[in-house]
Amino acid sequence: MNHSSSSNRGSVYLVTVITVAAIVSMVLIGVRLRTATNTTQAIITEMTESNVSLLDVTELALQTIASDSIWPDTAQSGTIFPTIKPFNLEDAVYTGTVTDADTDLLPTPDTTTYRLNLSSTNNSVTSAAQIDLLSSKADYKKTVKNLEAVFYWPLNETNLPSQALDQLSVNNHGDYLVSTVAADSINDEGAPVPFFNDANDHIEVPWDWSFKQKNGTITLWINPAGTERNQNYSFIGMDYTAGGNPSLNMSVYLNGITAYIDDDNSWGGENFTMTSTDIVNPGTWYHIALAWGTKGLCIYVDGVLESAKASNTDGISTRFASQGGEQPLRLGAGFYTGSSSTPDDGFEGSVAHVAYFSRALTAADVAGLAAIRPDLRTYSLVDDSWVQVFE
């Protein structure tokens, strides 16, 4: 097998979730308005046509949000639809803007409640409405911390960063060797992720003694892009000693996942384990977990145990720095472990949400983590937030 180099590519995927129930509730709002008290009913009768158009534009807004792959970013421009200017649809003229419901200013990346401001003009009669959407997503940082993670790198940096920030420690930020790989792609939940091309554009996290774990686990998400099935694409690695053999490595090979753990600078078949071939495909995101320690070496893919080697009870170790040890942890690259020379080897694709644990997670722990989509935002209508005004 060959080690890798590549050209850049990436994908944009669907992100938001708006339930059918949310859209149905909009129709029910219209029903309640049209069956209101006599005083209100007189107004509703006069404005029926415009009111129906307003319900239409609200439904269109929700559908637009549901199909926008990067809605939180789009919302920061203050618009719901492709243009902030009024646009025609059949006999009505529609507008739609969005603000932060808590500040009445433009939304920011930290906005949790969005206020949709909608209007419809039909036959020179304008009606307007606003409704609030609550945005939520999993607290992945809290989840991994509760499972005894010592480091967590989301790898969601933007704007040509110099560092990949660790969310659990102030001292273990990684260094981007090439800042342009950051946010060079978007995952299937609409969040920015790095895109790596070869062995020279990865992230290096300086050595920390917490890396040295007799029992431990690494979990992460990967989206391989390399299409050469017989090539080796390493996505995480750490040398036992500079120029020596790795203590840790994971790679994609034959569309399967290989893992290598060693604690004495040796090289041999006893250090490896590999899943079945053809279980990961380019262009698809997978949750990967590697657990090691006294109970053996285990690889999980999407929460399912795909390979186990009980005889390899090695842990992560190193020589002292004065002997060439204490090497950085590589994210987005590693080593070609198919030969005793173990040269540098790179990844083609994206890596996200890397967590490093101080214990070997159980199968149930891994399955629970794999079930979480860290960047997935869901939206729900805020109760009693609908306000309608006729002009």
Side-chain angles (χ1 to χ4, degrees):
M1 53 185 176
N2 301 316
H3 53 280
S4 63
S5 62
S6 77
S7 60
N8 192 2
R9 62 182 75 91
S11 301
V12 177
Y13 300 88
L14 186 66
V15 55
T16 55
V17 175
I18 297 289
T19 65
V20 173
I23 294 173
V24 169
S25 71
M26 301 308 307
V27 176
L28 294 178
I29 289 171
V31 171
R32 287 197 296 272
L33 287 171
R34 290 189 289 273
T35 58
T37 63
N38 291 338
T39 302
T40 306
Q41 194 170 20
I43 300 175
I44 297 303
T45 300
E46 183 181 358
M47 303 298 179
T48 295
E49 191 171 1
S50 184
N51 181 62
V52 171
S53 294
L54 186 59
L55 292 174
D56 288 343
V57 72
T58 304
E59 181 175 341
L60 179 60
L62 295 177
Q63 290 175 341
T64 299
I65 294 169
S67 61
D68 187 344
S69 62
I70 51 171
W71 164 247
D73 288 341
T74 301
Q76 292 174 49
S77 69
T79 183
I80 299 171
F81 302 113
T83 174
I84 198 168
K85 298 178 180 179
F87 65 96
N88 292 80
L89 188 62
E90 296 180 347
D91 296 327
V93 178
Y94 295 147
T95 61
T97 61
V98 58
T99 60
D100 185 308
D102 297 320
T103 66
D104 288 328
L105 302 174
L106 286 177
T108 71
D110 297 322
T111 295
T112 57
T113 307
Y114 298 92
R115 178 155 294 155
L116 310 184
N117 302 287
L118 303 147
S119 71
S120 169
T121 301
N122 195 304
N123 296 325
S124 300
V125 177
T126 298
S127 57
Q130 70 179 35
I131 191 166
D132 292 349
L133 279 181
L134 181 64
S135 169
S136 62
K137 69 176 185 176
D139 190 341
Y140 199 69
K141 172 184 173 181
K142 181 178 180 181
T143 300
V144 297
K145 185 176 181 180
N146 287 344
L147 290 173
E148 299 178 39
V150 286
F151 306 111
Y152 167 49
W153 301 276
L155 306 187
N156 57 359
E157 290 80 19
T158 58
N159 298 321
L160 303 177
S162 61
Q163 290 189 309
L165 301 182
D166 171 29
Q167 299 295 308
L168 298 180
S169 169
V170 298
N171 298 318
N172 263 69
H173 305 318
D175 297 315
Y176 281 95
L177 299 191
V178 178
S179 62
T180 53
V181 306
D184 200 28
S185 188
I186 296 173
N187 67 12
D188 54 6
E189 296 151 27
V193 292
F195 190 95
F196 303 101
N197 290 311
D198 54 42
N200 301 310
D201 63 359
H202 56 277
I203 297 165
E204 291 193 352
V205 183
W207 167 261
D208 187 282
W209 278 101
S210 293
F211 289 156
K212 190 173 181 179
Q213 298 287 343
K214 179 61 179 175
N215 296 276
T217 306
I218 290 176
T219 67
L220 68 165
W221 289 83
I222 67 167
N223 184 2
T227 56
E228 295 296 327
R229 185 174 178 273
N230 292 322
Q231 275 192 210
N232 193 79
Y233 302 99
S234 294
F235 52 85
I236 193 165
M238 184 164 57
D239 257 344
Y240 181 92
T241 184
N245 292 302
S247 184
L248 161 71
N249 201 76
M250 293 192 78
S251 63
V252 176
Y253 175 61
L254 298 176
N255 291 344
I257 303 295
T258 68
Y260 180 102
I261 291 286
D262 171 56
D263 62 7
D264 59 5
N265 202 34
S266 63
W267 180 87
E270 66 276 6
N271 297 317
F272 293 90
T273 189
M274 181 176 179
T275 68
S276 299
T277 59
D278 299 308
I279 65 168
V280 298
N281 297 307
T284 303
W285 281 95
Y286 298 92
H287 183 268
I288 307 296
L290 176 67
W292 66 85
T294 54
K295 294 185 178 180
L297 185 62
C298 298
I299 302 174
Y300 299 83
V301 178
D302 286 341
V304 177
L305 180 62
E306 295 288 354
S307 179
K309 192 167 190 177
S311 61
N312 185 354
T313 59
D314 285 2
I316 303 296
S317 191
T318 183
R319 282 188 174 150
F320 290 109
S322 60
Q323 300 172 317
E326 301 177 21
Q327 292 294 303
L329 174 67
R330 301 183 181 191
L331 308 179
F335 308 93
Y336 175 66
T337 53
S339 69
S340 58
S341 62
T342 62
D344 292 350
D345 185 66
F347 191 56
E348 294 184 25
S350 296
V351 176
H353 296 287
V354 182
Y356 197 110
F357 299 83
S358 60
R359 66 182 179 91
L361 298 183
T362 66
D365 292 334
V366 173
L369 277 178
I372 299 172
R373 298 297 180 266
D375 296 309
L376 180 64
R377 288 183 179 271
T378 58
Y379 298 88
S380 58
L381 297 176
V382 176
D383 291 343
D384 301 321
S385 66
W386 173 266
V387 177
Q388 188 173 18
V389 179
F390 291 103
E391 299 175 357

